[in-house]
Each structure stands twice: as C-alpha cells, then as structure tokens.
Amino acid sequence: MYFCEQKINIIVKRGVRFLWFASWAACIISCSTTRYVGNNEYLLDKIIVTVDSSRVKASDLKPYLRQHPNFKIFGLLKWPLYVYNWSGRNEKNWLNKQLRRIGEPPEIMNTTLITQSQAEFQRYMINKGYLHADVSVVTDTGSRKKATVKYQIIPNDPYYIQHYRTHMEDPQIEAIVRSEAPARTSRLAYVFRSATDDYTPLVQAGNLFDRDLLDKERQRVTALLRRNGYYAFNRDHLRFTADSIAGFRRINLEMTLKPFQYINAEGLSEERAHRPYYIHQVRIVTDYDPLKQESGFVATDSVLKQGVGIYYGAKGQTIRPGVLQRKCYIMPGKLYNERHIEQTYSSLMALRTLRHVNIRYDEFEENDTLKLNCTILTTPEKTQGVGVEVEGTNSHGDLGFASELNYQHRNLFRGSELFSAKIRGGYEFISSGKGSQPGNYWEYAGETSILFPAFVFPFAGTDFRQKIRATTELKLSYDQQRRPEYRRAILSGGWSYIWQNRTNTLGRHTLKLADVNYIYLPYIDPAFKDSLPGLTTLYNYNDQFIVSSGYTYSFNNYDPLKRGRNTYSLRVSVESAGNLLYGLSKLSGTDKDAYGRYKLFRINYSQFVKGDIDFARSITIDERNSVAAHLGGGIGYPYGNAKELPFERRYFAGGANSNRGWSVRSLGPGSMPVTSRTSFVNQVGDIRLDANIEYRSKLFWKFELAAYVDAGNIWTIRAYDYQPEGNFDFTRFYKEIAVSYGLGLRLDFDYFLIRFDTGMKAYNPQETGSRKWAVMYPGAGNQFAWHFAVGYPF
C-alpha cells in the first residue's frame, strides 16, 4: 500500500509539472491576443486611472468603469483570452464551442463606453464634493490592434461644509434628532450595545460636501425616528438645503422636514404633520398556511399572555404560549419601534418548529391617536424527520467511507426543543509509512442531544434573556474506534450555552460549562505499546477522564449575499481541565498513585489549560481576484495531575488546512529529525504558529485557481526525550518555522467548495545544513504533497 501511495505521489507530481509546462506553452503559442480582433478594431489592453489628489484613490473610481480589459489570472496572465484564441474559425465545431465557452472573447475598445466612464467619474467627483473636477481621457493605439486608455482626474479645490444645522419645524422630531445616546446603566448594557445606536450626526461642520455622506445621514435620522414611533416615516421626508458662499467654496447646509402626504377619504392628496404610532393589539397566529387567505384561518383556541393574544389553529397548542410570548418584542401600549420588528422576526425564526414568519400592521386612528394592530403569522415546520447520509472520507490521506442515520424531533416539549439522535459507522484502510500499522479502521458512534431555544440558567434575568439570542445544548455521545494498534471507546457528555447579541449577530459566544470525556482502552497491541514512550503510554494510552470547561468567541462578517466585499474573521478560545477535580482531591486528602497522580474512581484524570487565537482577512481586488491571509497560534500547558497533554488536545502540523508542503502529521515538532521510528505518536506538540497567504483567482464557470505560501510549525512546551529538538526555545524557534508554496484548483458551488491543493517544501527544518532549503532541491526526496479537502483552508 505504501508503494502504491509513492506511485500516486509521483504521478501527481508529474501531472502538476505537465500542467505548468502546458500553461507556459499555451502562452507562447497563443501570444497573439489579437487573433479575433477585426480590422479598424482595437483590443482594450490596459486602463490607467490617475488622480492628482491624495484624498481620492484611483481604486475607488475603478468600479465606475463601464468597460474593463480582459481578465488576468493573478493579475498577470490573460489565460481566458488565450483559451478563447485556441478555438478555430468554425463555430459549429464542438471543440471550438467548448473553448469559446470556457474562454473569454477579446474586449474591443468601445468609445461610447469610454465616454460613459468619463461621465461616471465626473459624477463621482461631484458627489464627493469636487464640483469643479476635470476628467480627461487619452487613448493610445500605438501598439498593433491594442489600445491603452488613460483617465486623468484633476479634482481642483473641493467644497466644504461651513455650517450645518437641523430645522425640523416639529419640536418632538427635533428633540429625537438632537437626542444623545442613552446612558449605559451597567456593564452588561455596555457589553450589549449596538453599532447602530449611533446618535452622533455623520454630517458635521468641516466635512467635505460629500453627497453620499448626506444620504447616510438621512438613513441614520430615518432609523432613529422609526425606532421612536414614526411608522410611516421614510428618508424621502428629509431634504437638505445647501447655500454656497460665493468665492469661498464653502456650503451652509440645513436639513429640513417635508410634510406627510396621504390620500383622504375623497381620494385627494393632503398634507399633515408627522405623528407617532402606538401599538394597540398584538396577535400571534399559529398554523397559518400562506397558500390560503388569512380570512380562512379558524382559531380553535386562544390565550392572552401578558397582553399578547395567541391564536391556535386545528392542531391546537403545538407550542406553549409562554414560548411565543417571550419571543415577541412588540408590546401593546408601546410606541412603534422598527427594531422590535427585527428582533421579533429573528427570535421567532430561530424556533426550529417554525418554517415561515410574517409580520403585518393595520393602522387606524382613535381619539386623535394613530394606532397599529400587529398580526404575526407563523407557519409550522414538520415536527419530525429522518435522514440518511453517505460520504467519502479522507483522514491523513487514507480514504474510506462513512454512513449516518439521524432522527430529529423539532418540538420535543412543545417549546421548540430540538431533539437529535445519530448513529454513525465508518471504515478506512490505514496505509503504512506514517508510523501506523496497515490494516482496517472501523468506527461506530452514537450521539443524542437536546437543544433548548433559550438560556437555561436559574439566575438569568428577563432583560438578559431578551438581549441575547441563545440556545442551551445537552449532549451525550459514545464513540468506539478499532485500529490495528488499539481499540478505544469514548463516552462524552456536555452542557453548553451558545448565544449572540441581538443587535450584533456577527459575533458568537460558546460557553462549555461542563464537558466530560471518559476514554477507555480495552485493547492495545503489545508491540505498539512497547514502541511508545513511557510518558505517552502513561498519559495517553491508558483509561482516563478529561473534565473541562471552555469559552470560545468567534466573529465573522462574511455574507453570502455580499460576496464581493472584504471580510475578516476572529476566533479566540480557552479551555481548562481538571482543576475542580484536583481541588476536591486535595481537600479530601485522596492518596496519589506511584506516579504522583490523583485518580477519580481509580482512573486518572488530565489537568491542563489551553488557548487558541486565529485571525483571517480576505481582500477583494476585483470581482475575480482576491487575497486571503491567516495568522494563528495556540498553546497548551499540562500541570498538576498531568505531565503531558491528552493526545486529542495536542497540535499537529501539515495537511490541507496547515502547511501544505507536508502531509498530515508529518511536520515537527521543532526541528526533530525524521527517522524510521518517527510516527504520528511523536509528531505532535503543545504550541503552534501558523501563517498563510493565498491569492485566489476565478478561472471559468465554477473553477478557481489559487497560489499560496504557508509557514509555521509546532513545538512541545517541555523537552521530552522521545522528541529531540522539539521543544520551544526562543533562541532557535524562528529557525524552525517551515515554509512551503503551491498551487490549488477549486470548484466553488457558492455554498460549499471542493479543492485540490498541491504543496512544495521551500524551507524544511527537519533537514540539516543546506538541505534545509528544500526550494533548492525541488526534485530531491519527498518534497511534494497533495491534498483533497472541502471548504477554504481559512
């Protein structure tokens, strides 16, 4: 099997080299990019935009171009145009059709689009306050059938806002617009503050006369008023009046209010002052069928809960009234608040027993007061479901398959509690060559969990519960693993809280209040056990408990509906294990064993603390090119009842999501040399550092190409005899950071991505002397690795 794997690596390596050669050969053969450019036509080869100002960036103007040159892979190579040029003149030929579909036709210079781009630039500069900007265009057609278009923008002096004031003619509205942010009465209130709670005007004296900023200010004021009762208000009711000061390029700016226009009973348009609306009645309708009219709904039961009327249909009280009422933030007698609509909608949609939610308002006037009747229509989801999944697996390069049978009940106790039960079985063939014994790997697992749609804690107040969107999870699982070296069973249980701030859903908190794992080894191969270091056998290949608590904060501003914008993510986690048990053992005077360890039910328990941090950033260059970077680190420290971290909590390096020049678990720790006795058991560590940068470029259809550089390694926090030169040392760790580079091909299906990545070692700390610089010996030894994975590496 190991021989077969070597053959596969050789074939893949040769295939990659062939692709490189074919790519460059294609470039040489298709060097004539003007093959399909007709007479009196010019290929738009390059566009240059220059701005004579440090305040306006050329990159800000490029989105307003009406015509762009042909796409370049990595910003260097017009590969799609070359592919198109491979096609022949016969358009009916199948091969020619496919080449033209995959490729990109030449972009012919269009003078009409150039003029439109010039006008767009002029409009952009005016909107930014440069009312007298000059935009000129020069077209260079000196090259044969190729054109370079140069846009020159001279902003000239901009206009500034000299004075700014609001004049609403309505004292109540004026007071809201001029109001300051409410005082934070507690630390908790500060933690749950919202980025949209911005009472500071965006437009101020001294700003550029930026019309885009004026529009944002109208949106801010509109949102503020709609959160204070003004249901019928929109941004078109606000207008700016600008008065320029002759000769000074200064603007006196005033925001005023337009009156509310409505159609009276006679069908005539009339004007009236803006007035706030109050909530009169709130109804929640269950069992609503959107395919039928609301009038067709017949209530079989109704409950009034804290002023909210809940009406049940033919299925009766499928959800407890208190659950629906607590998810409703719209209350009778209160001023209309647009944010309450958003919070109610998101809270109800978080209930897995509901499929659709629709909120409607009916307005009327009573005793000179404008009022709203609110109706919340909910459509139930199927209560129960069964699913079967079959998947291929790839662990450490070993291929296999797995299948899963799962069952869900979405409303276990009539409170939208999600009950899940899973049974999973898997098989992999373990190859040799990684310190593992070849043979069969079987896994059988079962898991059951209950997810409560609330923060289940006795001392959590109502205000706290309403400010967060929380779930509480109780989970139990059993996992049995059968490898050639050993058999292992893991029994786990945990109680966790997951929550998000309702006004900031980009951040996510996870608190593992209790996570208990019991690891039982009924069998271990004597030869494998004899090959293990004594410390590893004692702390990792014996029965043990891992009783831990942990907290994780993650932030991600990625939005699948806004894929073109820059994104970033942050993940910080900390875990602590064994401290409570160690303290109880100390207080109770429990005896230690011969190795100085306390035990629980005659079984050892681990004690450690561990922390991780990862940051990733993606920068969009244009609609088809982006750069992504990742920086991460982690450290684990065993102490007290343990001298080594549990194997499951230790770090490894190499693989599809790490340093791609190495296979999984084949790098590190430190500069520990690789010998015939090196295996997955000792290629682990307690400290990790990772750095990656990746250039991603769209090819055609769903295909994407990536070029990347990876750096990093792992180290042990202590010096272990069986991991020589593997410990972290400030005097040498920077010399032990491994570096690799490579190319990857991806298939992006929007909601999931498949990738095939290749990696070449550039600097290998496991070697000695000049051979550390593997980039100088690309054909020597095992310098190449390939990976198949799902999803981006970061």
Side-chain angles (χ1 to χ4, degrees):
M1 188 67 186
Y2 180 58
F3 175 75
C4 292
E5 185 178 356
Q6 285 184 318
K7 294 292 289 181
I8 291 173
N9 282 335
I10 291 172
I11 293 171
V12 172
K13 188 186 300 183
R14 290 176 177 174
V16 172
R17 289 177 180 173
F18 173 77
L19 288 175
W20 274 101
F21 175 78
S23 299
W24 288 110
C27 295
I28 295 172
I29 294 171
S30 304
C31 58
S32 177
T33 56
T34 58
R35 179 180 180 182
Y36 287 106
V37 177
N39 294 328
N40 300 320
E41 291 183 337
Y42 294 94
L43 174 71
L44 183 60
D45 187 52
K46 186 186 297 183
I47 290 179
I48 300 173
V49 180
T50 58
V51 185
D52 293 345
S53 172
S54 59
R55 302 192 64 168
V56 180
K57 297 179 181 179
S59 58
D60 295 335
L61 289 159
K62 288 186 177 180
Y64 296 90
L65 283 168
R66 293 299 186 184
Q67 188 180 29
H68 297 269
N70 286 97
F71 167 65
K72 292 182 179 180
I73 293 178
F74 302 143
L76 300 172
L77 193 65
K78 293 183 179 180
W79 174 263
L81 178 58
Y82 296 148
V83 173
Y84 187 92
N85 285 340
W86 291 349
S87 65
R89 300 282 180 180
N90 184 1
E91 296 182 359
K92 295 183 179 180
N93 181 275
W94 180 86
L95 180 59
N96 292 339
K97 285 182 179 180
Q98 299 306 312
L99 290 174
R100 294 194 175 195
R101 184 179 65 85
I102 294 173
E104 184 180 70
E107 187 68 36
I108 306 301
M109 185 185 71
N110 187 318
T111 55
T112 301
L113 295 179
I114 291 174
T115 303
Q116 291 178 2
S117 298
Q118 183 181 13
E120 287 291 326
F121 286 173
Q122 187 78 47
R123 190 176 297 110
Y124 175 86
M125 296 301 294
I126 291 173
N127 287 340
K128 291 299 177 183
Y130 297 89
L131 275 62
H132 301 294
D134 293 324
V135 181
S136 59
V137 182
V138 175
T139 304
D140 182 4
T141 56
S143 299
R144 184 176 178 272
K145 289 190 174 184
K146 293 183 180 180
T148 299
V149 179
K150 301 177 182 179
Y151 294 90
Q152 176 75 27
I153 295 97
I154 302 176
N156 295 317
D157 293 334
Y159 278 72
Y160 290 91
I161 298 173
Q162 179 79 11
H163 298 290
Y164 171 66
R165 71 166 189 156
T166 59
H167 184 63
M168 297 299 176
E169 299 180 353
D170 184 319
Q172 190 171 354
I173 292 180
E174 186 75 34
I176 293 172
V177 173
R178 292 175 176 267
S179 62
E180 297 181 355
R184 306 293 178 183
T185 57
S186 66
R187 287 182 177 270
L188 187 63
Y190 180 79
V191 169
F192 290 110
R193 70 193 186 279
S194 167
T196 58
D197 277 334
D198 191 356
Y199 287 77
T200 304
L202 299 176
V203 178
Q204 297 182 1
N207 288 353
L208 282 173
F209 184 54
D210 187 337
R211 298 185 184 183
D212 295 330
L213 193 63
L214 302 188
D215 193 52
K216 291 179 181 179
E217 175 67 2
R218 288 201 305 166
Q219 294 177 6
R220 185 193 71 84
V221 172
T222 300
L224 200 59
L225 291 171
R226 289 181 63 85
R227 294 200 301 265
N228 285 273
Y230 289 86
Y231 165 76
F233 197 90
N234 61 68
R235 66 177 188 173
D236 292 333
H237 291 128
L238 296 171
R239 62 186 171 194
F240 285 98
T241 303
D243 182 19
S244 61
I245 303 174
F248 292 97
R249 298 185 187 271
R250 296 291 186 267
I251 299 290
N252 288 329
L253 192 65
E254 183 180 68
M255 178 190 282
T256 57
L257 186 68
K258 295 180 182 179
F260 180 78
Q261 292 186 340
Y262 71 102
I263 305 300
N264 62 19
E266 288 76 25
L268 301 176
S269 177
E270 291 189 7
E271 294 182 354
R272 65 166 173 80
H274 294 273
R275 296 161 61 188
Y277 286 75
Y278 288 84
I279 305 297
H280 181 61
Q281 290 181 347
V282 179
R283 297 193 312 149
I284 300 178
V285 176
T286 65
D287 298 337
Y288 173 71
D289 187 349
L291 299 179
K292 299 178 181 178
Q293 295 294 327
E294 185 182 349
S295 57
F297 174 80
V298 178
T300 60
D301 192 9
S302 63
V303 177
L304 186 65
K305 193 78 172 178
Q306 295 189 11
V308 177
I310 302 170
Y311 297 83
Y312 294 97
K315 297 180 181 179
Q317 291 193 17
T318 52
I319 308 178
R320 298 194 305 272
V323 174
L324 294 172
Q325 183 273 321
R326 285 192 294 271
K327 299 298 181 181
C328 181
Y329 291 76
I330 306 168
M331 301 302 294
K334 301 291 185 180
L335 276 172
Y336 168 83
N337 189 328
E338 188 175 49
R339 179 170 294 165
H340 291 166
I341 301 175
E342 300 166 358
Q343 292 173 337
T344 300
Y345 181 82
S346 62
S347 296
L348 289 172
M349 284 302 297
L351 298 177
R352 288 172 173 81
T353 191
L354 298 180
R355 179 184 298 178
H356 299 296
V357 176
N358 189 7
I359 301 177
R360 298 178 182 176
Y361 282 101
D362 296 312
E363 57 181 294
F364 67 97
E365 186 171 357
E366 183 180 69
N367 299 328
D368 294 330
T369 302
L370 294 176
K371 296 184 178 182
L372 295 169
N373 282 332
C374 175
T375 302
I376 304 172
L377 306 172
T378 66
T379 303
E381 181 62 274
K382 290 182 178 179
T383 304
Q384 302 181 64
V386 177
V388 177
E389 295 181 9
V390 179
E391 62 181 359
T393 60
N394 181 5
S395 300
H396 313 166
D398 296 325
L399 302 180
F401 67 90
S403 61
E404 179 181 285
L405 175 65
N406 61 73
Y407 164 78
Q408 285 189 341
H409 192 297
R410 299 180 179 87
N411 196 21
L412 187 62
F413 304 123
R414 295 193 304 114
S416 193
E417 300 87 359
L418 177 64
F419 172 79
S420 300
K422 301 177 183 178
I423 299 175
R424 176 185 172 87
Y427 167 80
E428 284 180 2
F429 183 85
I430 302 175
S431 60
S432 60
K434 304 181 182 68
S436 303
Q437 297 181 17
N440 300 320
Y441 169 62
W442 294 92
E443 181 177 8
Y444 311 96
E447 178 185 303
T448 181
S449 65
I450 301 178
L451 203 64
F452 300 92
F455 201 95
V456 182
F457 194 76
F459 305 109
T462 303
D463 289 343
F464 174 77
R465 294 174 191 268
Q466 288 193 335
K467 288 177 180 176
I468 62 173
R469 182 191 301 168
T471 56
T472 303
E473 183 179 38
L474 172 64
K475 180 185 292 186
L476 295 172
S477 66
Y478 176 79
D479 188 355
Q480 186 178 110
Q481 303 165 358
R482 292 173 175 259
R483 293 178 59 97
E485 304 93 345
Y486 59 82
R487 296 176 186 173
R488 180 169 65 171
I490 303 174
L491 180 63
S492 303
W495 184 271
S496 303
Y497 297 102
I498 305 101
W499 75 92
Q500 294 174 296
N501 184 356
R502 292 196 181 277
T503 54
N504 180 16
T505 57
L506 302 179
R508 180 185 177 93
H509 307 262
T510 302
L511 174 63
K512 289 187 176 181
L513 190 64
D515 187 19
V516 181
N517 296 269
Y518 170 53
I519 302 169
Y520 170 62
L521 275 82
Y523 167 79
I524 183 168
D525 181 72
F528 174 72
K529 186 174 182 179
D530 291 341
S531 70
L532 295 174
L535 203 62
T536 301
T537 304
L538 190 64
Y539 288 101
N540 281 291
Y541 288 91
N542 272 312
D543 301 347
Q544 70 169 326
F545 281 106
I546 302 176
V547 182
S548 66
S549 297
Y551 169 78
T552 300
Y553 173 76
S554 58
F555 181 93
N556 193 332
N557 72 336
Y558 173 75
D559 186 346
L561 301 178
K562 301 177 181 178
R563 305 193 72 189
R565 70 174 185 176
N566 298 339
T567 62
Y568 61 94
S569 64
L570 173 68
R571 185 180 184 275
V572 181
S573 65
V574 62
E575 181 185 16
S576 177
N579 293 323
L580 180 61
L581 294 178
Y582 191 83
L584 293 174
S585 300
K586 277 261 190 184
L587 291 174
S588 61
T590 306
D591 294 332
K592 295 183 178 180
D593 66 6
Y595 301 100
R597 304 176 301 174
Y598 290 116
K599 293 194 173 185
L600 176 67
F601 306 125
R602 298 183 180 181
I603 298 171
N604 177 54
Y605 59 84
S606 187
Q607 188 175 8
F608 63 88
V609 63
K610 183 182 177 185
D612 289 271
I613 182 170
D614 288 274
F615 177 79
R617 184 87 162 95
S618 177
I619 301 174
T620 300
I621 299 174
D622 55 44
E623 62 181 5
R624 299 181 71 173
N625 289 281
S626 64
V627 175
H630 164 255
L631 186 64
I635 182 170
Y637 180 68
Y639 61 96
N641 216 49
K643 294 182 180 178
E644 188 174 274
L645 284 177
F647 187 81
E648 295 79 6
R649 299 301 199 271
R650 304 195 80 180
Y651 301 111
F652 63 87
N657 298 323
S658 179
N659 207 317
R660 283 164 281 189
W662 283 260
S663 299
V664 175
R665 298 185 186 275
S666 64
L667 172 61
S671 54
M672 185 184 78
V674 177
T675 66
S676 60
R677 295 181 61 84
T678 302
S679 71
F680 69 92
V681 174
N682 54 9
Q683 287 200 287
V684 290
D686 312 312
I687 300 172
R688 72 172 175 95
L689 288 176
D690 296 300
N692 318 80
I693 187 166
E694 190 169 275
Y695 194 114
R696 299 166 182 168
S697 190
K698 301 289 185 183
L699 288 177
F700 58 89
W701 191 52
K702 303 292 184 180
F703 286 96
E704 179 182 288
L705 191 66
Y708 39 80
V709 176
D710 302 323
N713 205 339
I714 57 172
W715 295 265
T716 61
I717 203 164
R718 293 173 178 153
Y720 298 114
D721 294 338
Y722 66 92
Q723 294 173 305
E725 302 299 317
N727 65 303
F728 186 88
D729 190 326
F730 277 104
T731 62
R732 71 168 197 272
F733 86 94
Y734 58 91
K735 302 176 184 178
E736 298 171 335
I737 296 177
V739 181
S740 65
Y741 61 95
L743 288 176
L745 184 65
R746 285 86 187 270
L747 268 169
D748 186 359
F749 294 101
D750 295 333
Y751 288 98
F752 75 97
L753 178 139
I754 300 172
R755 60 187 169 97
F756 176 79
D757 288 350
T758 62
M760 293 287 291
K761 296 179 178 66
Y763 179 78
N764 186 358
Q766 296 170 311
E767 297 286 352
T768 58
S770 62
R771 298 194 68 83
K772 287 179 179 286
W773 295 98
V775 69
M776 306 299 295
Y777 307 94
N782 186 20
Q783 308 286 32
F784 174 84
W786 60 279
H787 313 276
F788 177 78
V790 176
Y792 283 117
F794 51 87

